[in-house]
Amino acid sequence: MEYLVTSAEMKRCDGNTIEHFGMPSMVLMERAALACAEELIARDKKLKEAMRPFGPVPPANRTLVAAGTGNNGGDGLAIGRLLSQAGFPVDFVLLGKEEKCSAETAAQLKILENYGYRVMRKLPEREYDIIIDSIFGIGLTRPVEGSFAEAVGYINAQDAYVLSVDIPSGIHGDTGEVMGCAVQADVTVTFGFRKLGLVLYPGARYAGKVICADIGITQEGFLGEYPRIFTWNKEDRGFLPVRLQEGNKGTFGKVLLIAGSRGMAGACELSAAAVLKSGAGMVRAVTPESNRVIMQTALPEAMLTTYEEWTPQAEEKLREACAWANVIAVGPGFGKSPEALRILEAVLKQTMQPLIIDADALNLLAEHRALLDELIQRQQEPETRRELIYAASGRIRQACGKENG
């Protein structure tokens, strides 16, 4: 499992690491800089190895550090120092007023001064092979304008390999939104945890390849108040139940999918296919009769329970289908009609199995607060023995194989 953090969650974890655990902020900054420098040094080595059969070639590692005044800028200045000490020709430019520098960035400027480096105050008219974008970090909340927008344009216009520090400058850390303009990175080295803005579009497209570096900020830094959003990695497949060699389709989980509406068969078919591909042994779809031909043509292995109108007889069919299932999912392509609301109410009141609420079913809950409040209250009652999961349909795999729910 991998946490996907908001800017506030990351800042809280970072602050706790420094203040609660006593990890010096400059140590974290140096480790962040080292992670970025090692990525560029490794890339330079690979390029030289690839060009070796063609004879001597000039090194393509002329580097510019474009640093802002926040801690992200301090990271960039430290990266440039490490690269210079590794033999890269590096230029430094500070964008913004020096008196606005954070304490850590001011310290990095002093270190550069002590080593004899010159830090420019405006972008040079030169060409570079590598640009380190450390203008803004995850704290950006307003559009990039003025000289900062010019700097973003300068970076994007260069025929250079761009490494963004933590997040491309101009991308909102929580939403992935482009705040006026943004750096188009080839690689983004982020620290501790992936930020939501690196996963959501268009931020994911601007970030290029994302590398999450361990710099000493761990989940202990959340002090028990963990992020609300997470994703699964390939390694998490090991948590899936082991399939018995003598098992059959009934052994590997029975999923009831209540999805689709009249003229909206696609979401039902795609979700049912995802359930089967995720490992469930059997899937039964409850959907309008008008979707029968499409479902049986596209996914003949899925069982169907259909209805023309939502009547007491249809509700009885739903009750029987719920009793059959190990896990239930409701919502894809559901619509928000009065009929859809009645079906959702029936599902919430009748089922005891693990329940995945998705798509339009979530929208209906959001619009009918009384139903949501009732659901939350029932969830808190131990005698109901309910397990409620708010998730997307991909999470169905988490329940697959639970024979007894």
Short mmCIF file of all heavy atoms in Angstrom, two decimals, residues 13 24 28 58 62 76 167 181 221 284 319 372 386:
data_model
loop_
_atom_site.label_atom_id
_atom_site.label_comp_id
_atom_site.label_asym_id
_atom_site.label_seq_id
_atom_site.Cartn_x
_atom_site.Cartn_y
_atom_site.Cartn_z
N CYS A 13 3.54 15.77 8.16
CA CYS A 13 4.48 14.66 8.37
C CYS A 13 5.92 15.16 8.42
O CYS A 13 6.72 14.73 9.26
CB CYS A 13 4.31 13.64 7.24
SG CYS A 13 5.28 12.13 7.45
N PRO A 24 16.97 16.95 11.99
CA PRO A 24 17.24 18.32 11.52
C PRO A 24 16.76 18.52 10.08
O PRO A 24 16.96 17.66 9.22
CB PRO A 24 18.77 18.42 11.62
CG PRO A 24 19.16 17.39 12.62
CD PRO A 24 18.20 16.27 12.43
N LEU A 28 17.44 16.50 6.22
CA LEU A 28 16.44 16.07 5.24
C LEU A 28 16.70 16.73 3.89
O LEU A 28 16.57 16.09 2.84
CB LEU A 28 15.04 16.41 5.74
CG LEU A 28 14.57 15.68 7.00
CD1 LEU A 28 13.19 16.20 7.42
CD2 LEU A 28 14.52 14.18 6.77
N PRO A 58 31.66 15.03 -26.40
CA PRO A 58 31.68 16.03 -25.32
C PRO A 58 30.59 15.71 -24.29
O PRO A 58 29.51 15.24 -24.65
CB PRO A 58 31.39 17.35 -26.05
CG PRO A 58 30.70 16.95 -27.31
CD PRO A 58 31.27 15.62 -27.69
N ARG A 62 25.91 20.23 -19.01
CA ARG A 62 25.86 21.64 -18.59
C ARG A 62 24.54 21.86 -17.86
O ARG A 62 23.46 21.63 -18.41
CB ARG A 62 25.95 22.56 -19.79
CG ARG A 62 27.27 22.49 -20.55
CD ARG A 62 27.17 23.20 -21.89
NE ARG A 62 26.12 22.59 -22.73
CZ ARG A 62 25.74 23.07 -23.92
NH1 ARG A 62 26.29 24.16 -24.40
NH2 ARG A 62 24.80 22.44 -24.61
N GLY A 76 17.21 22.63 -4.48
CA GLY A 76 17.86 22.80 -5.78
C GLY A 76 19.28 23.30 -5.67
O GLY A 76 20.18 22.82 -6.38
N ILE A 167 7.89 18.42 -7.11
CA ILE A 167 6.74 18.57 -8.00
C ILE A 167 7.09 19.63 -9.04
O ILE A 167 7.83 20.56 -8.73
CB ILE A 167 5.48 18.97 -7.19
CG1 ILE A 167 4.21 18.78 -8.02
CG2 ILE A 167 5.59 20.39 -6.66
CD1 ILE A 167 2.93 18.87 -7.20
N CYS A 181 0.69 28.46 -15.45
CA CYS A 181 1.66 27.78 -16.31
C CYS A 181 2.47 26.85 -15.43
O CYS A 181 2.50 27.00 -14.20
CB CYS A 181 2.55 28.78 -17.05
SG CYS A 181 3.54 29.83 -15.96
N GLY A 221 5.86 9.62 10.89
CA GLY A 221 5.70 11.06 10.99
C GLY A 221 4.26 11.53 10.97
O GLY A 221 3.97 12.68 11.33
N ARG A 284 -22.39 -11.75 -10.75
CA ARG A 284 -23.79 -11.63 -11.16
C ARG A 284 -24.11 -10.14 -11.26
O ARG A 284 -23.86 -9.39 -10.30
CB ARG A 284 -24.72 -12.30 -10.16
CG ARG A 284 -26.21 -12.18 -10.53
CD ARG A 284 -27.10 -12.70 -9.41
NE ARG A 284 -26.90 -14.11 -9.18
CZ ARG A 284 -27.53 -15.08 -9.84
NH1 ARG A 284 -28.41 -14.77 -10.79
NH2 ARG A 284 -27.28 -16.34 -9.56
N ARG A 319 -33.01 -9.25 -3.30
CA ARG A 319 -32.75 -9.85 -2.00
C ARG A 319 -32.11 -11.23 -2.16
O ARG A 319 -31.15 -11.58 -1.45
CB ARG A 319 -34.06 -9.95 -1.21
CG ARG A 319 -33.88 -10.41 0.23
CD ARG A 319 -35.20 -10.43 1.00
NE ARG A 319 -35.74 -9.09 1.15
CZ ARG A 319 -36.82 -8.64 0.50
NH1 ARG A 319 -37.46 -9.41 -0.36
NH2 ARG A 319 -37.26 -7.42 0.71
N LEU A 372 -27.34 9.01 4.00
CA LEU A 372 -25.93 8.86 4.37
C LEU A 372 -25.78 8.83 5.89
O LEU A 372 -25.03 8.00 6.42
CB LEU A 372 -25.12 10.02 3.78
CG LEU A 372 -23.63 10.05 4.13
CD1 LEU A 372 -22.93 8.77 3.67
CD2 LEU A 372 -22.96 11.26 3.50
N ARG A 386 -21.60 -5.03 9.85
CA ARG A 386 -21.43 -4.61 8.46
C ARG A 386 -19.99 -4.16 8.23
O ARG A 386 -19.33 -3.65 9.12
CB ARG A 386 -22.36 -3.45 8.11
CG ARG A 386 -23.83 -3.78 8.24
CD ARG A 386 -24.65 -2.56 7.90
NE ARG A 386 -24.40 -2.11 6.56
CZ ARG A 386 -25.07 -2.53 5.50
NH1 ARG A 386 -26.02 -3.42 5.64
NH2 ARG A 386 -24.81 -2.08 4.30
#
